[in-house]
């Protein structure tokens, strides 16, 4: 039995935005380590439940729209009444919109800041009391390389992800003398629905087929020329849940095929 298995059995993990992409991959990996899972998000809920449930643990779901603070409170009421609270919090739900600063739709700015940044503040403030009472916790914020560097046409996303890295550091400092840790993962390109939409835009703009558009997008920023996978991110996140990672605090760990080495 690995260290991670003994760490997560009997613990409850909430992964926001876990009906798709990276969040779904993380939920599967945490369930495989023995955690009970609370899923959240829109779309293919039953398929996600089925996949995460394959390892035999308990799987719950709450449909909170995390851009609305009152729904985040309802999500935590559900977590408390049905699971007795959350010990592993993964702030993953996120959206993207691309436009220049002067053409950026104000409602898209507000939506991205609400989901990609403010939601993590609300989940963190609501999760910490249970973690402190239990004397153990893990908060992992799925930021992005865009939490550490900028790219054109991504003002709201880059601002929110830089903010999320800042929130990670403050939370890590405020919990530094406890067995609660808070860290951020900063992925490069991962081929999920969020990125496929950017591939589609590139294909339309430059009249490319899907494969050529993917390669063009990748090679612009990611020296490896390969996508990062949800499984690779999930394995790193599982490591952050082990006692071996107990002194990793306030890190913003880029997993990016070399993007930030340039
Ligand atoms: P995705 O679109 O596949 O999944 C997003 C998830 O968030 C879905 O489950 C969706 O239902 C949920 N969601 C959307 N709006 C929501 C809301 N208002 N309330 C609750 N849930 C909501 O995207 P993904 O690529 O898997 O991205 C997951 C996270 O990883 C995001 O924070 C994203 O910024 C980050 N990220 C992605 C990449 C990448 O290349 N895909 C790179 C770096 C960081």
């Amino acid at each position: 039995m690995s260290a991670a298995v003994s760490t997560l059995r009997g613990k409850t993990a909430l992964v926001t935005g876990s009906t798709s992409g990276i969040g779904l991959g993380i939920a599967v990996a945490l369930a495989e380590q023995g955690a009970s899972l609370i899923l959240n998000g829109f779309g293919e809920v039953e398929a996600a439940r089925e996949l995460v449930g394959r390892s035999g643990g308990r799987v719950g779901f709450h449909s909170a729209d995390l851009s609305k603070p009152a729904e985040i409170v309802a999500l935590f009421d559900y977590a408390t009444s049905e699971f007795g609270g959350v010990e592993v919090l993964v702030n993953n739900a996120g959206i993207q919109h691309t436009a220049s600063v002067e053409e950026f739709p104000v409602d898209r700015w507000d939506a991205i800041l609400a989901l990609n940044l403010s939601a993590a503040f609300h989940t963190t403030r609501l999760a910490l009391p249970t973690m402190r009472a239990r004397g153990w916790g893990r908060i992992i914020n799925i930021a992005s390389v865009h939490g550490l560097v900028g790219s054109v046409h991504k003002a709201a996303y880059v601002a929110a992800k830089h903010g999320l890295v800042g929130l990670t550091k403050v939370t890590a400092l405020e919990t530094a003398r406890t067995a609660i840790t808070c860290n951020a993962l900063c992925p490069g390109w991962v081929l999920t629905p969020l990125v496929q939409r950017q591939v589609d835009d590139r294909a339309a703009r430059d009249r490319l087929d899907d494969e050529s558009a993917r390669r063009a997008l990748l090679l612009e920023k990611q020296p490896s020329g390969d996508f990062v996978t949800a499984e690779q991110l999930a394995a790193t996140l599982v490591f952050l849940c082990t006692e071996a990672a107990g002194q990793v605090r306030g890190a913003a760990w880029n997993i990016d095929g070399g993007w930030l080495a340039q």
Side-chain angles (χ1 to χ4, degrees):
M1 190 182 279
S2 76
V5 172
S6 57
T7 302
L8 296 186
R9 198 161 297 283
K11 301 215 171 357
T12 298
L14 165 63
V15 184
T16 69
S18 43
T19 52
S20 168
I22 294 168
L24 180 56
I26 289 168
V28 167
L30 290 173
E32 285 171 352
Q33 300 300 321
S36 297
L37 260 294
I38 300 175
L39 306 181
N40 156 261
F42 308 143
E44 306 290 326
V45 175
E46 282 317 309
R49 279 186 90 117
E50 195 277 320
L51 196 63
V52 177
R54 279 183 198 172
S55 45
R58 190 168 168 215
V59 185
F61 171 77
H62 195 280
S63 62
D65 176 343
L66 298 184
S67 63
K68 299 180 175 150
E71 296 197 20
I72 301 177
V73 172
L75 165 60
F76 274 79
D77 287 345
Y78 165 80
T80 303
S81 63
E82 296 295 319
F83 287 80
V86 167
E87 286 109 351
V88 178
L89 168 64
V90 182
N91 287 309
N92 168 77
I95 50 173
Q96 176 63 286
H97 184 85
T98 56
S100 65
V101 171
E102 63 269 41
E103 287 169 356
F104 215 91
V106 171
D107 68 328
R108 289 294 84 205
W109 171 275
D110 290 342
I112 290 172
L113 268 287
L115 181 62
N116 295 19
L117 177 57
S118 296
F121 159 67
H122 291 293
T123 56
T124 300
R125 74 181 175 80
L126 292 166
L128 276 174
T130 300
M131 293 180 181
R132 287 194 193 277
R134 303 267 157 84
W136 190 90
R138 291 290 186 266
I139 301 172
I140 296 131
N141 295 323
I142 307 305
S144 166
V145 284
H146 287 117
L148 301 168
V149 293
S151 288
V152 296
H153 296 162
K154 295 186 176 177
Y157 189 86
V158 169
K161 294 296 188 181
H162 273 68
L164 188 57
V165 169
L167 175 66
T168 303
K169 292 175 182 171
V170 172
T171 306
L173 290 174
E174 292 184 6
T175 54
R177 297 182 71 86
T178 73
I180 302 164
T181 69
C182 179
N183 293 288
L185 295 183
C186 297
W189 292 120
V190 186
L191 190 58
T192 66
L194 181 144
V195 163
Q196 186 60 44
R197 283 188 285 278
Q198 295 173 66
V199 172
D200 295 343
D201 289 348
R202 172 63 73 97
R205 192 192 77 190
D206 297 345
R207 297 167 185 261
L208 298 172
D209 61 29
D210 187 61
E211 183 56 31
S212 306
R214 285 181 186 183
R215 292 224 64 75
L217 205 70
L218 266 177
L219 288 173
E220 206 170 73
K221 300 275 189 180
Q222 201 149 295
S224 68
D226 290 323
F227 286 102
V228 179
T229 67
E231 290 73 20
Q232 289 167 333
L233 295 172
T236 309
L237 187 142
V238 166
F239 169 68
L240 287 173
C241 292
T242 65
E243 295 312 313
Q247 289 304 331
V248 183
R249 296 177 185 269
W253 191 341
N254 51 305
I255 302 170
D256 62 3
W259 186 318
L260 295 187
Q262 297 166 102

